[in-house]
Amino acid sequence: MTSVLSWALPLALLLLMLAMACTLVRLLKGPSAQDRVLALDCMYLNAMLSVLSWALPLALLLLMLAMACTLVRLLKGPSAQDRVLALDCMYLNAMLAMLVLGLLYGSSDYFEAALLIAAFGFVGSTAMAKFLLRGEVIE
């Protein structure tokens, strides 16, 4: 794995710098102002896509790791309050994972799923807190 990264990462950076250099030449020597603006937009888009190509999968991986840690607390929690807090954190991480997946795949369906997770998570954590406080959910 490290041997692949030792040549793949510098190659990716070199290709990115080459694309930005070509865009920079077009920016400076473009025949019209419209071509210069288009070159600037292209340079910005290349830089942004290169960051998003590794940042979104990394964020998804870290959210899944956080969910695994929260699952341990949910199963091992010494008290009911710890378990409720772990469940609250779990639905928050699931909602954020859905948002990251929506950005990664470019689909608005994931955003709707994240909204549903947030709504059900809020209702569930409120009901659990009320149950722990009073011993009943519905008065």
Side-chain angles (χ1 to χ4, degrees):
M1 179 75 175
T2 56
S3 63
V4 172
L5 287 178
S6 65
W7 64 267
L9 190 60
L11 181 65
L13 289 174
L14 181 69
L15 290 175
L16 178 65
M17 289 191 323
L18 182 66
M20 290 190 125
C22 292
T23 308
L24 188 62
V25 168
R26 187 171 180 190
L27 177 67
L28 295 175
K29 297 195 178 229
S32 68
Q34 189 176 20
D35 283 342
R36 287 188 213 115
V37 168
L38 185 62
L40 191 60
D41 285 345
C42 184
M43 183 183 290
Y44 175 72
L45 186 63
N46 281 339
M48 189 138 144
L49 287 179
S50 68
V51 170
L52 285 179
S53 67
W54 61 266
L56 289 176
L58 179 67
L60 192 61
L61 177 73
L62 291 176
L63 282 169
M64 293 301 144
L65 181 67
M67 286 180 76
C69 293
T70 305
L71 183 64
V72 170
R73 176 52 59 198
L74 184 67
L75 298 175
K76 268 179 79 173
S79 68
Q81 289 85 0
D82 287 331
R83 289 188 171 103
V84 169
L85 188 62
L87 192 63
D88 196 34
C89 186
M90 182 86 84
Y91 91 78
L92 183 68
N93 286 333
M95 180 192 66
L96 290 174
M98 282 293 163
L99 290 174
V100 169
L101 282 172
L103 288 173
L104 195 61
Y105 294 127
S107 175
S108 64
D109 295 336
Y110 290 100
F111 295 107
E112 293 172 8
L115 185 63
L116 285 174
I117 290 172
F120 287 135
F122 172 73
V123 170
S125 63
T126 304
M128 289 296 284
K130 190 173 179 184
F131 176 73
L132 288 175
L133 187 65
R134 297 185 184 159
E136 62 183 350
V137 178
I138 300 173
E139 295 176 2

